[in-house]
Amino acid sequence: FFFVAIPLCCSSMIIQIRNLQKLVPINTSWVQRIVHEVGKLTNTDDYDICMWLVDNEMSHKINLEERKKDKPADVLSVPLHPDNPPGTRPPELADEYDLGDIYISLEMLEQQAKEREIDFDTQLKKTIIHGYCHLLGYDHETDSDFKLMLEEEKRLYQHVSQLNKE
């Protein structure tokens, strides 16, 4: 169990990373950089976020609990502001800015990267962006919602894809 909560320079964003899995080695500082970049690009880098890195077993349990789906998911977002219109800044609550939680199954991401023949970091970036978009009110329940979310994900990925681990 590894926990990081570090405010980044020039931002009041606190990114909490909780690595609750042991199957996939992960550089949590790298995850933090990706999340912070997405925060800057969405003008939400003054909001806090908690990122949970889990395995398929824990993802399955959370998916069953949160969404009543009896299977693991690659990413699950639990927004603090579930009714927030897509692309708008969520309201503050009692002078606190918090977006919510993102759960990512690194075990599933590793499998997906192999199946899609892409590197793990690319899959990680895309998954973090997808989860973050859900925290900002984006969804893919209808075709028009899907299109709106996909456009935002592409916009974010154009910038985030340029990040390097160094």
Side-chain angles (χ1 to χ4, degrees):
F1 170 55
F2 183 70
F3 171 74
V4 177
I6 303 172
L8 297 175
C9 172
C10 310
S11 168
S12 60
M13 181 181 223
I14 295 176
I15 302 166
Q16 295 181 5
I17 300 173
R18 296 182 176 165
N19 186 9
L20 303 180
Q21 59 84 49
K22 295 182 177 160
L23 297 171
V24 180
I26 190 74
N27 178 339
T28 54
S29 296
W30 175 232
V31 173
Q32 184 181 34
R33 283 189 55 219
I34 297 167
V35 173
H36 184 250
E37 187 65 22
V38 175
K40 287 191 315 187
L41 292 166
T42 57
N43 193 30
T44 56
D45 60 343
D46 53 345
Y47 285 79
D48 299 338
I49 189 170
C50 190
M51 177 78 57
W52 302 81
L53 306 175
V54 299
D55 57 22
N56 284 348
E57 182 181 343
M58 184 172 281
S59 172
H60 186 177
K61 185 177 176 180
I62 296 163
N63 202 16
L64 190 57
E65 212 173 89
E66 291 290 328
R67 300 175 61 222
K68 310 297 182 243
K69 297 200 177 197
D70 194 13
K71 62 182 181 178
D74 54 354
V75 61
L76 293 161
S77 298
V78 183
L80 190 61
H81 312 278
D83 299 323
N84 192 61
T88 62
R89 285 174 52 90
E92 64 177 275
L93 297 175
D95 292 329
E96 291 188 28
Y97 295 83
D98 193 351
L99 290 177
D101 298 322
I102 299 175
Y103 296 84
I104 294 180
S105 171
L106 296 182
E107 182 180 2
M108 188 172 288
L109 259 57
E110 193 172 61
Q111 294 165 352
Q112 288 175 342
K114 287 176 186 170
E115 289 167 8
R116 296 171 183 169
E117 298 180 350
I118 60 175
D119 64 88
F120 179 80
D121 285 341
T122 298
Q123 187 64 33
L124 179 64
K125 289 173 187 176
K126 289 180 175 187
T127 304
I128 289 173
I129 288 168
H130 186 82
Y132 206 106
C133 283
H134 277 302
L135 293 184
L136 295 178
Y138 289 93
D139 213 326
H140 39 79
E141 295 300 317
T142 67
D143 287 344
S144 61
D145 289 346
F146 175 79
K147 184 178 178 186
L148 186 65
M149 185 170 183
L150 189 60
E151 286 172 9
E152 179 65 357
E153 287 178 342
K154 285 180 181 178
R155 181 187 78 83
L156 295 171
Y157 187 73
Q158 282 181 332
H159 296 279
V160 173
S161 66
Q162 304 304 311
L163 286 179
N164 295 315
K165 277 188 172 179
E166 293 86 46

